[in-house]
Amino acid sequence: MRIGILIGGLALAVLLLLLFLTERPDRARSERTRELPPIATKAPTPEELESPLPATVDLGSVDRDLDLHGVVVRAADGAPVAGASLQTVVYPWRRTGVQNLDQWREAIPGPDTRSARDGSFSIRLRYGELVSLRIEAEGFAAQEIAEVQAGERLRVALGPGVRLMVNLKSERGEPIVGADVRLFRSRFMEGVNFDLQARELDSGRYVFDGLPGGVVAQLDAMHPRFGSSGWLQIALPEQGTHVFDATLPDGRTLRGRVIDAETMKPVANARVGMGWVLRPEVRTNADGRYVLHGWTGRGKIKIYVIADGYGQAQRRVADATLLDFELHPGDSVTGRLVGADGAPVTAAFVTARGSEYI
């Protein structure tokens, strides 16, 4: 009797073991299946395989002091844009105002990321850090948003690229070839920012491709033989191509000589230009002389002179055609920069400027 009970118990144990071995893997597979993402509707590209999308960002859990975050969507319907490239950059010399025009566009890249499948993103910055954010995605116009801060939340809406065609002519209706045509939105204008040079086609036609739509931009065209167009306002359409006609005036020619105020010797290779941005600009020859075409006074009242080793000079033009400059050698200023605790501050940008109003 006892042997029968023992055999029966062993049989029951074997049966339970078999049930465990057959049922456990099914349950495990079921649990793992629920954790898998939905099946893709198309095969991933080689680029996607090498660089998978980041995980979805819980925007409610980001650090509002450190994380620049938000979503990238399509402007047309608000649908998420996955895989958009988001690159932070800083323009260090812009912290010093307009002191260093040559390096005004110098950009240093910072942290970057890509948008997740739901368009969400998050970029960790330093506390209080201020950056510009560049956004690019295939099939959309690239954007750059200026002066966004650590902890800020953004909703970036991308749309198709817009084309701008510029027909540039003289006052006599002749097409102007070889001009410098620029389109920009400054960092002081709300929304996207850019500073672009046109591509020249033929017969005075210039083109900008891939522009953000639905924004107002400024066009500035100039040519060595003509006056500047000044800043012309252009409202870009939401999509498609926009044609804009611009005329460059003849203007008048300014001449002069740049010399050292102490030695009275000519200053060669000095930069002479219209306005504080020196646009357009020319260089003095070995005798210190310059010829600057196209002065109209449109949007500018002075010409400026900059030369290595000298302080900047400027003069109002008014009705003059001859303007000479005497440059004074610049002084050197040395010192040490420390923080509130007396510790040295490294990698700071330091500029100095003299003004007639000080």
Side-chain angles (χ1 to χ4, degrees), residues 166 168 176 179-184 206 218-223 226-232 246-249 279-280 298 300:
V166 179
L168 196 60
I176 297 179
D180 178 7
V181 183
R182 171 180 167 233
L183 187 75
F184 66 96
Y206 300 81
Q218 306 287 344
L219 181 80
D220 183 19
M222 48 170 272
H223 188 279
F226 298 90
S228 169
S229 66
W231 293 358
L232 304 176
T247 301
L248 294 190
R279 180 175 168 87
R298 182 184 296 176
K300 301 166 184 175

Side-chain angles (χ1 to χ4, degrees), residues 171-311:
E171 291 179 326
R172 294 170 295 282
E174 303 164 341
I176 297 179
V177 178
D180 178 7
V181 183
R182 171 180 167 233
L183 187 75
F184 66 96
R185 281 178 56 86
S186 76
R187 63 193 178 105
F188 303 109
M189 302 176 75
E190 184 178 356
V192 299
N193 304 116
F194 49 78
D195 190 343
L196 304 169
Q197 297 292 129
R199 177 168 55 91
E200 185 172 0
L201 298 179
D202 54 21
S203 301
R205 296 191 306 150
Y206 300 81
V207 63
F208 296 91
D209 282 314
L211 299 172
V215 299
V216 175
Q218 306 287 344
L219 181 80
D220 183 19
M222 48 170 272
H223 188 279
R225 293 196 301 107
F226 298 90
S228 169
S229 66
W231 293 358
L232 304 176
Q233 185 168 290
I234 299 178
L236 297 174
E238 293 289 345
Q239 57 185 355
T241 299
H242 182 63
V243 180
F244 187 82
D245 296 325
T247 301
L248 294 190
D250 290 336
R252 71 177 189 266
T253 299
L254 305 179
R255 290 180 170 85
R257 191 165 184 246
V258 181
I259 62 173
D260 185 304
E262 296 180 359
T263 66
M264 307 305 288
K265 293 182 178 180
V267 178
N269 206 39
R271 301 167 59 188
V272 184
M274 300 182 189
W276 58 267
V277 294
L278 276 69
R279 180 175 168 87
E281 72 170 67
V282 294
R283 300 270 180 163
T284 56
N285 61 16
D287 196 32
R289 299 188 182 279
Y290 71 90
V291 179
L292 187 60
H293 296 289
W295 175 264
T296 63
R298 182 184 296 176
K300 301 166 184 175
I301 61 174
K302 296 181 180 180
I303 61 172
Y304 288 68
V305 179
I306 298 175
D308 292 340
Y310 295 91

Side-chain angles (χ1 to χ4, degrees), residues 69-138:
H69 61 285
V71 293
V72 183
V73 299
R74 295 191 311 200
D77 56 9
V81 176
S85 169
L86 297 111
Q87 173 72 63
T88 61
V89 296
V90 294
Y91 298 92
W93 286 105
R94 296 187 184 183
R95 302 176 192 170
T96 63
V98 295
Q99 306 303 305
N100 192 341
L101 292 175
D102 292 337
Q103 293 173 287
W104 179 259
R105 295 180 177 86
E106 179 182 304
I108 299 177
D112 60 79
T113 189
R114 297 171 68 204
S115 57
R117 294 191 182 280
D118 66 345
S120 61
F121 70 91
S122 179
I123 302 175
R124 177 59 57 93
L125 301 175
R126 299 190 305 273
Y127 179 78
E129 187 173 7
L130 198 65
V131 300
S132 291
L133 181 64
R134 295 176 176 174
I135 309 100
E136 296 183 3
E138 186 174 355

